[in-house]
Amino acid sequence: MDDSCVLGPLDPKERRHKAYQIRKQAAKEEKSRKILPQPCNHDERKYPNKIGNFSKGLPHNGLGEVDQHAYGAYLKALKSGKPSKFEEIPLGGTLKFVNPQGAYVYDLAGPDGHSLTIPAPPSINSAAAASDMVELYWQSLLRDVSFNSYDRDPLAAAAAGSLSNLKDFYGPKINGQVTPQTLFRGVTQGDLVGPYISQFLYKDIPFGATAIIQKYKVPLAGQHFLTDYQSWLNIQNGAAPSASIIYDPEPRFLRNGRDLSEWVHKDFSYQGVLMACLYLLSLGSSALDPANPYFHSRTQTGFVTFGSPYILDLVARAANFSMESAWYQKFLVHRRLRPEEFGGLVQQKLTNNANYPINEQLVNSPAVDLTFNKYGTYLLPQAYPEGCPAHPSYPAGHAVIAGAGVTMLKAFFNEDFVLPNPVTVSKDGLSLEPFNGAPLTIGGELNKLANNLAIARAFAGIHYRSDCFDGMNLGEAAAIGLLRNYRHTFNEPFCGFKLTKFDGTTIIVK
């Protein structure tokens, strides 16, 4: 006797078969996609002493060059994928690599982490790599200058002039020139409109029955780390930092590169895009994408699908999912050296201890001279006592997560919606003030958020612009792939996810 209470168009057997078919079809679609090339800059092969590759945490000689036996064991472990081989890597101190085995993980939804690609990063001898580094030296020199003061700050003007003269500098320009208005910003639509900081890092964030006021614990001005050679070398060998950050007793809204770099020092993985999602959900249904099947429904609202739990879930899911592709690129394709390691090459080159193949526009940069005059070395000053984390530079993890999360938000919200009551920050960071300039849209401010979260790590001295830009694009591709799989799971009539990519093109994910 059938005592089932189940209603629905399918009986359990039919439902199980359809669920299987949906998963099978998604897997077949991913399998049928073209295998993409994975280009690299070949620095690991060009330079036998591995000066173009990440080696922090392994033992190094007095020049900061990695021990060849240790680097060989590191490569052997990566090539084998065997957990036991990672335990055999000789370390130089107490620092441990961050999850290299994450590069091998599989997932049950979205494109496989090894199927997405990014361009090869610049080689250490290239003009593009020099441009990356020159910008980082200027960012370190301007960490304590308020973003709102760039238009009248002489050092910011000098930085803009210097960057304008660089070959292969890919930052934003106006009439072919870097200006204080474009300085250290992204190249996406909306990024040059309004304050440097996105509204999503200023607005109060609804959090259940309370709200998060976005004043943060920030470091006191003038703190720069790893500027003396021995401290730098100790950190490259994996020693614990000998200094610590001294914090301002007064919480502040984000106002400069130091504040922003500390925000991405302490955040959890997808904190920035989660906060943006919570704020956008508080704006009500009018901020949703009109393609949402419940946007015009007379009798229903979204919840499990197309509602706040679903959107929050996909934003979080995209974050770690996108990192699978990032970790593959970091460890198994590029192994790009970090900026602090590149700063060691500059130090040895300009003190005539080694003749490293560094492009002349870096060694002749006024930013490098100003750094030496201030600290007595040519090392790149770091915002964090420990310097960078123990995984390779390219692509930037924060950029990948930001790219994925922002892409998810664009898929569910109306990018043309104008954000109400925009604000900017006071010079001291103690208050917010009305912003009375051009309208700020969801799409533009989401692009700006992604760039803020990515470039903040460059302000810290631990990532290059190219890490950030290509990382955002990788995160975007991962999120689009995830949306492509989920597109086929709905009962509701739905024409697909419409969104604007970082390159300005509009797509519909079907």
Side-chain angles (χ1 to χ4, degrees):
M1 180 177 179
D2 185 4
D3 60 354
S4 173
C5 299
V6 175
L7 293 175
L10 301 177
D11 65 35
K13 196 170 183 179
E14 292 170 325
R15 171 73 189 193
R16 182 172 64 181
H17 179 71
K18 186 167 184 178
Y20 169 72
Q21 289 300 323
I22 287 173
R23 295 188 182 191
K24 181 179 177 182
Q25 182 60 32
K28 286 177 65 177
E29 288 178 5
E30 295 304 330
K31 183 182 178 183
S32 68
R33 295 187 186 278
K34 182 181 178 181
I35 295 177
L36 299 173
Q38 299 292 345
C40 67
N41 62 20
H42 299 292
D43 277 3
E44 196 169 65
R45 186 173 64 194
K46 285 189 291 188
Y47 306 113
N49 53 3
K50 311 306 180 189
I51 56 172
N53 294 95
F54 176 81
S55 61
K56 184 173 180 175
L58 298 175
H60 296 76
N61 64 20
L63 288 175
E65 295 176 357
V66 67
D67 177 85
Q68 293 298 297
H69 169 72
Y71 195 86
Y74 165 60
L75 290 183
K76 186 175 181 181
L78 290 171
K79 185 174 178 61
S80 74
K82 295 178 180 179
S84 61
K85 294 296 182 183
F86 288 94
E87 299 303 318
E88 297 174 6
I89 300 173
L91 298 179
T94 58
L95 185 69
K96 300 179 181 180
F97 285 111
V98 178
N99 193 206
Q101 291 187 68
Y104 308 102
V105 69
Y106 294 91
D107 213 301
L108 297 178
D112 180 60
H114 292 209
S115 69
L116 301 177
T117 189
I118 50 178
S123 177
I124 59 168
N125 67 348
S126 67
S131 294
D132 267 351
M133 280 296 289
V134 169
E135 184 176 33
L136 291 177
Y137 277 99
W138 282 117
Q139 284 177 297
S140 73
L141 291 164
L142 283 157
R143 276 191 192 122
D144 294 316
V145 177
S146 168
F147 296 125
N148 291 344
S149 299
Y150 278 6
D151 61 347
R152 53 191 180 276
D153 185 85
L155 194 60
S162 168
L163 295 175
S164 294
N165 294 326
L166 293 177
K167 183 182 177 183
D168 292 344
F169 176 69
Y170 299 112
K173 299 177 181 179
I174 296 175
N175 297 323
Q177 297 294 306
V178 179
T179 72
Q181 167 62 19
T182 70
L183 197 60
F184 310 139
R185 294 198 184 215
V187 295
T188 52
Q189 290 182 354
D191 202 63
L192 298 184
V193 181
Y196 184 95
I197 297 290
S198 171
Q199 296 296 294
F200 300 116
L201 292 173
Y202 280 151
K203 290 287 191 173
D204 295 353
I205 304 300
F207 198 81
T210 188
I212 298 172
I213 310 301
Q214 295 204 66
K215 275 189 172 180
Y216 294 102
K217 180 180 178 182
V218 299
L220 290 172
Q223 299 177 79
H224 304 276
F225 302 98
L226 308 192
T227 56
D228 70 278
Y229 189 76
Q230 191 57 53
S231 295
W232 175 87
L233 185 59
N234 290 344
I235 289 294
Q236 303 319 301
N237 283 324
S242 58
S244 58
I245 294 173
I246 302 172
Y247 288 94
D248 191 329
E250 185 80 43
R252 297 179 192 268
F253 295 101
L254 304 178
R255 68 212 147 125
N256 57 35
R258 185 178 300 282
D259 294 354
L260 189 58
S261 66
E262 184 60 17
W263 197 96
V264 293
H265 191 201
K266 299 297 185 183
D267 63 322
F268 59 81
S269 60
Y270 60 100
Q271 181 176 329
V273 290
L274 172 61
M275 294 196 315
C277 187
L278 292 170
Y279 176 73
L280 288 172
L281 289 170
S282 76
L283 297 178
S285 60
S286 61
L288 291 173
D289 190 291
N292 188 304
Y294 295 104
F295 194 83
H296 299 292
S297 176
R298 185 180 67 82
T299 62
Q300 306 167 79
T301 60
F303 193 72
V304 173
T305 55
F306 297 99
S308 55
Y310 188 69
I311 299 170
L312 285 162
D313 173 61
L314 282 187
V315 168
R317 188 171 300 193
N320 201 63
F321 171 73
S322 65
M323 294 298 278
E324 296 169 6
S325 297
W327 249 239
Y328 164 64
Q329 295 290 338
K330 279 177 177 287
F331 279 103
L332 299 186
V333 183
H334 302 291
R335 296 176 292 284
R336 187 186 191 184
L337 81 167
R338 289 279 185 162
E340 74 187 57
E341 297 173 301
F342 207 141
L345 302 184
V346 177
Q347 168 70 14
Q348 300 298 2
K349 170 84 171 180
L350 290 178
T351 55
N352 298 313
N353 288 320
N355 187 25
Y356 293 137
I358 301 172
N359 188 277
E360 288 299 308
Q361 68 179 7
L362 172 54
V363 296
N364 294 331
S365 169
V368 174
D369 288 338
L370 287 170
T371 298
F372 181 81
N373 292 340
K374 190 172 183 179
Y375 303 105
T377 68
Y378 298 102
L379 298 168
L380 178 67
Q382 300 290 299
Y384 310 150
E386 73 279 12
C388 71
H391 49 86
S393 196
Y394 186 74
H398 272 74
V400 174
I401 290 174
V406 159
T407 300
M408 281 295 179
L409 293 173
K410 290 177 182 177
F412 287 99
F413 292 95
N414 181 358
E415 293 180 61
D416 295 325
F417 184 92
V418 176
L419 293 172
N421 307 313
V423 295
T424 188
V425 69
S426 63
K427 185 177 179 180
D428 61 9
L430 293 177
S431 61
L432 296 175
E433 303 166 348
F435 172 71
N436 298 313
L440 304 179
T441 64
I442 286 178
E445 290 301 291
L446 283 176
N447 283 341
K448 190 184 292 180
L449 174 67
N451 280 287
N452 284 166
L453 297 175
I455 293 174
R457 300 286 275 184
F459 265 112
I462 68 172
H463 274 297
Y464 312 91
R465 176 178 284 273
S466 52
D467 293 346
C468 300
F469 181 72
D470 291 330
M472 285 169 51
N473 287 330
L474 180 63
E476 178 184 73
I480 289 171
L482 204 56
L483 288 169
R484 189 171 58 229
N485 279 189
Y486 280 103
R487 164 67 185 88
H488 301 291
T489 63
F490 307 120
N491 185 68
E492 298 90 339
F494 181 54
C495 59
F497 299 100
K498 182 179 179 181
L499 60 95
T500 307
K501 295 176 63 177
F502 292 127
D503 66 6
T505 60
T506 298
I507 64 168
I508 298 177
V509 183
K510 295 183 178 181

